[in-house]
Amino acid sequence: IQSEINLKDLDQPSDEYLQLMLFALMFYPLDRENLHYLVLGLGGAILPRSIRKLYPQSFLTIVEIDPLVYHLAKEYFFFHDDHQM
């Protein structure tokens, strides 16, 4: 499984790998609300959505080399980018 989504809770990553990535943010000592995050690879867009939910004022730069992945994330994983992405 490359990406999966919990349709009952879109903001909760069901993949342990992504949960651990978000857990690691708790140990970052700076003000996380105003930070810039770099996400390499969009996949199902679970990580950007989770960061946006936890830290709504943060800025995200997402790098994805395949435009098809972006379209699939929007269509099947309910990804919506905004002015801070």
Side-chain angles (χ1 to χ4, degrees), residues 17-28 32 54:
Y17 175 71
L18 289 174
Q19 291 173 353
L20 290 173
M21 291 173 83
L22 293 169
F23 180 72
L25 292 176
M26 292 176 45
F27 298 103
Y28 198 73
R32 291 177 289 244
L54 291 171

Side-chain angles (χ1 to χ4, degrees), residues 24-44:
L25 292 176
M26 292 176 45
F27 298 103
Y28 198 73
L30 299 175
D31 177 16
R32 291 177 289 244
E33 281 295 320
N34 298 310
L35 286 181
H36 293 258
Y37 293 89
L38 173 63
V39 178
L40 299 175
L42 180 60

Side-chain angles (χ1 to χ4, degrees), residues 1 11 70 82 84:
I1 296 174
D11 297 321
Y70 174 75
D82 59 36
Q84 290 176 251

Side-chain angles (χ1 to χ4, degrees), residues 38-42 61-66:
L38 173 63
V39 178
L40 299 175
L42 180 60
T61 299
I62 303 167
V63 178
E64 176 55 59
I65 61 172
D66 189 348

Side-chain angles (χ1 to χ4, degrees), residues 42-59:
L42 180 60
I46 310 303
L47 183 61
R49 182 188 0 261
S50 298
I51 292 172
R52 171 63 71 234
K53 177 77 174 183
L54 291 171
Y55 310 112
Q57 300 302 317
S58 62
F59 294 88

